[in-house]
Structure formats: structure tokens, C-alpha cells
Amino acid sequence: MVDERVVHWLRRRPTVVDAAVAGVLGTVCALIGMLVHAGLEYFVFTAALTAPLAVRRRLPEWSAVAVAVAAGAQWLTVRDTTGAVFADAAVPITVYTLAAHGRGSWSRLGLIFGLGGAALGGWSWPQLPMPALAHLLVGAFLASTVVAAWLGGAWQRARRGELTALAERAELAETAHEQRVRLAVLSERTRIARDIHDILAHTLSVIIAQADGGRYAADAHPQRAVDALRAIGQQGRAALAETRRALGVLRDDSAPGIPDLVPLVEDLRAAGLPVELTVDLPGVEPDPALGLLVYRIVQEGLTNVVKHAGLDAQAVVSVRRERQRLLVSVADDGRSPAPDHETDSVRSGFGLIGMRERVSAHGGVLEFQRREAAPGHLLRVRIPL
């Protein structure tokens, strides 16, 4: 709007505004002096009081000193002749400027000297013979103008400080928002990396196993080699589709979940790994994020079975509810060497580390250990519902 543009223009040019105010005040006071046929001293003190106002915000302390000297000289020299002049309005203006723009000590000095000047003015004016009450009223009026000017300047300083604080707070909020966005991007990149790892590690493990089996069976059983190639093609296409879905920023509505465990297990069965799947979740409707977590846990667990135990092993997958916890387990009867670490102290292997981070993000616990009553290993996860 026009008024907002004018205010913005004036705020950016304080020196020009102050010079214009000083010029207008000096001109008005001079015209009044000409109308009343004032003496030369009137115009001298008018100029001495109004001229320093031209730099009142750029040099508030020096401007205040100049006005104080002019007002003091006026009271000492012409208080009984010319007396007060209209340019004495520069005194409350100076007090306001010191309170609004001067340093703290100068603001207090401006108030003290302003009240002192009001007391001297009440003592000397009015110049006509008047009772003491009239002098008291004049002094009180002058003091009230000084106090009002000082309070107005102090309020302006406080308001400017609040605006500065708000601007700094807004800048901090913007910086914090940028940091949150950056962290969200990094988190999403990490999530994409984990999912792509889960997808590719699982699929490539199955493909490698199929390729090795097909190569060994090619001479004696050509049909098995054909079946292995067909399974490799299916796994490759499935991995490509999941990778594209992962690179599509992994929206929860398109990410795999618990229902997708069935085709995952069927693919492994077709590849030659006997897998038994049990899903028992009465009254539980996992959200997409939890469903994706369960899917990745089972996928990584079966990938490890294929990689370390081989297709000759048998896997048992269980997803069930126990009170307020979701239990996910992947067990095998393979005889591969056990890792040096046991239970939930999984420290090696990018897949297991990624699973542990995923589970921890949901407040769960991951355990990986040898089975107690049978050969093989057990991957078990407990997640609070």
C-alpha cells in the first residue's frame, strides 16, 4: 500500500527525515517570531535549539549536548527578557531521542537534565508577577512533557528490541527448519539405501543360488536348469520393480508389508528353499511403516539363510502377537558357522546392522543366536505395539 511504502522509505532515510523535521520546526518558530516582532536573540536561540535536531538519530549524544548548551545559555541570558521560545520543544524531542536511540546512561542523563530544565523553567516563567502556584503548575507541565517524551522513547526502544528479537527468532526458526529438512533428506537417503540393500541382497542371493544349482544340473537335468533360469528371471524382474518403488521415495502406501510375505516365501520355495510361514495377528492392523519393517526383517533373515545355510536348509518364519508386542522370528536348521557375537549384540554385516537400526527406531529389540535345541540359527525381533 502507498502508506506502507512511504513509511518504509522514511525508515531507510533517518538523516533526511531528521533534517527535514529540524528545518520545518525552525522555519515555523522563525515565522512566529516574525509575527510577534521578536528580537534578534529569539532567532539566534531558535536556530541553536533546532539545528542539532538534524543529526539527532545519527549522533544522539552530541545532538543532546548541543541542545542542552543552547537551552542553558538561553536560561542564563534571556530568561528575564525574551524568556521561553517555541523552539524549546527541542528539549522533549531530545529527551525522547536519547531514550529511544542513545546509550543507557545517556538516556538517564537526558531525563535528569530534562527535569532540571523543567524546574528552572517553572522558576523563571511566567515572567509576570504570579503566585507561587502558577510557577509550580508551569514547572509540573514542563516536567510532564519531559517524562512523557522519555517514556515514549523508552517504549520505542523496547519495541525495537522486541522486533529485533522476533527477527532473530524467525531467523533461528528458519535455520532450524532448514536443518530439519536436511536431516529428513539424510534420513530418507539412509532409508532408501537400506531398502535397496535389502532388495538387492535378497534377490542376488537367490539368483546366485539358482545360477549355481542350474549350472550343476545342466548336464544331467536340463529341465532343472531351465527352471532355474526362469526363477532367475522372475527374481530379477521382482527386484527391478522393488528398486523402482524404493527410488520413488518409498511412499508408505506403495511399500511392501505383511501381506507381501506370502509371495516372498513362494518365490523362495520356487527357488528350492523349504520355507514354512506362520502369520498370527488377531486384532492387529500394523501401520505401513511397521508392515514394511516386518517385511524387511523376514526378507533379510531369509537372505541370510540362503547365503549361509544354503538351499538345503529349511526355514521357519513366524509373525505373531504376544500381548502388546509383535514377535517376528526366522529360524533355520543349517549348519553354517555361527558368528562370534551372540544375541542382540549384532555388530557386523550391513544387513543385520540396518535391521537393528530399523528395529531400534520402533523401540524394539533384535536377537541373533544359535538355536538351543536344534542345529541352525534364530533371528528374533520383539517390537512393542
Side-chain angles (χ1 to χ4, degrees), residues 155-178:
W155 176 83
Q156 182 66 23
R157 178 192 293 271
R159 180 175 178 273
R160 191 169 60 251
E162 291 178 357
L163 292 177
T164 302
L166 288 175
E168 293 176 352
R169 189 180 305 172
E171 185 177 355
L172 289 175
E174 183 177 357
T175 303
H177 174 70
E178 293 176 356

Side-chain angles (χ1 to χ4, degrees), residues 86-116:
F86 289 99
D88 286 329
V91 174
I93 294 176
T94 300
V95 172
Y96 170 88
T97 303
L98 284 177
H101 304 283
R103 287 171 288 184
S105 58
W106 282 88
S107 173
R108 292 186 289 272
L109 285 175
L111 176 62
I112 294 172
F113 276 95
L115 293 177

Side-chain angles (χ1 to χ4, degrees), residues 42-66:
Y42 175 93
F43 297 99
V44 171
F45 284 112
T46 295
L49 289 167
T50 57
L53 298 181
V55 293
R56 66 183 184 90
R57 280 187 285 183
R58 189 173 63 178
L59 301 171
E61 290 82 10
W62 288 105
S63 174
V65 169

Side-chain angles (χ1 to χ4, degrees), residues 155-357:
W155 176 83
Q156 182 66 23
R157 178 192 293 271
R159 180 175 178 273
R160 191 169 60 251
E162 291 178 357
L163 292 177
T164 302
L166 288 175
E168 293 176 352
R169 189 180 305 172
E171 185 177 355
L172 289 175
E174 183 177 357
T175 303
H177 174 70
E178 293 176 356
Q179 293 292 336
R180 287 195 298 270
V181 171
R182 187 176 293 109
L183 290 175
V185 171
L186 293 176
S187 176
E188 191 67 14
R189 288 178 178 175
T190 304
R191 180 185 175 190
I192 292 174
R194 290 174 182 167
D195 278 86
I196 291 178
H197 167 268
D198 293 341
I199 294 168
L200 297 182
H202 168 78
T203 306
L204 291 178
S205 297
V206 175
I207 288 176
I208 291 171
Q210 287 285 347
D212 291 341
R215 184 182 61 187
Y216 294 138
D219 295 334
H221 302 283
Q223 185 59 40
R224 291 187 181 180
V226 173
D227 294 339
L229 291 175
R230 184 181 298 110
I232 289 173
Q234 292 175 351
Q235 288 292 324
R237 285 189 289 272
L240 179 61
E242 283 203 59
T243 302
R244 287 174 174 171
R245 184 163 50 188
L247 295 177
V249 200
L250 301 175
R251 299 301 182 190
D252 288 337
D253 56 354
S254 64
I258 294 178
D260 297 290
L261 293 176
V262 174
L264 175 67
V265 169
E266 290 177 351
D267 289 340
L268 284 172
R269 287 172 181 166
L273 176 67
V275 182
E276 179 182 341
L277 173 64
T278 302
V279 178
D280 184 16
L281 299 174
V284 178
E285 295 183 2
D287 58 77
L290 184 57
L292 175 62
L293 175 63
V294 173
Y295 180 88
R296 294 305 183 204
I297 291 171
V298 174
Q299 185 183 50
E300 182 64 26
L302 293 176
T303 298
N304 288 335
V305 172
V306 173
K307 288 168 61 177
H308 301 295
L311 294 176
D312 295 333
Q314 183 175 1
V316 178
V317 178
S318 174
V319 180
R320 59 191 177 87
R321 174 180 181 175
E322 183 181 86
R323 297 180 182 177
Q324 294 302 315
R325 293 185 302 179
L326 182 65
L327 302 183
V328 182
S329 64
V330 180
D332 68 86
D333 59 359
R335 300 183 181 275
S336 61
D340 295 335
H341 49 273
E342 296 284 319
T343 63
D344 59 349
S345 58
V346 179
R347 295 185 180 90
S348 63
F350 181 79
L352 292 177
I353 292 175
M355 277 197 295
R356 183 177 59 180
E357 293 178 355

Side-chain angles (χ1 to χ4, degrees), residues 79-92:
R79 69 174 184 271
D80 296 328
T81 56
T82 303
V85 297
F86 289 99
D88 286 329
V91 174

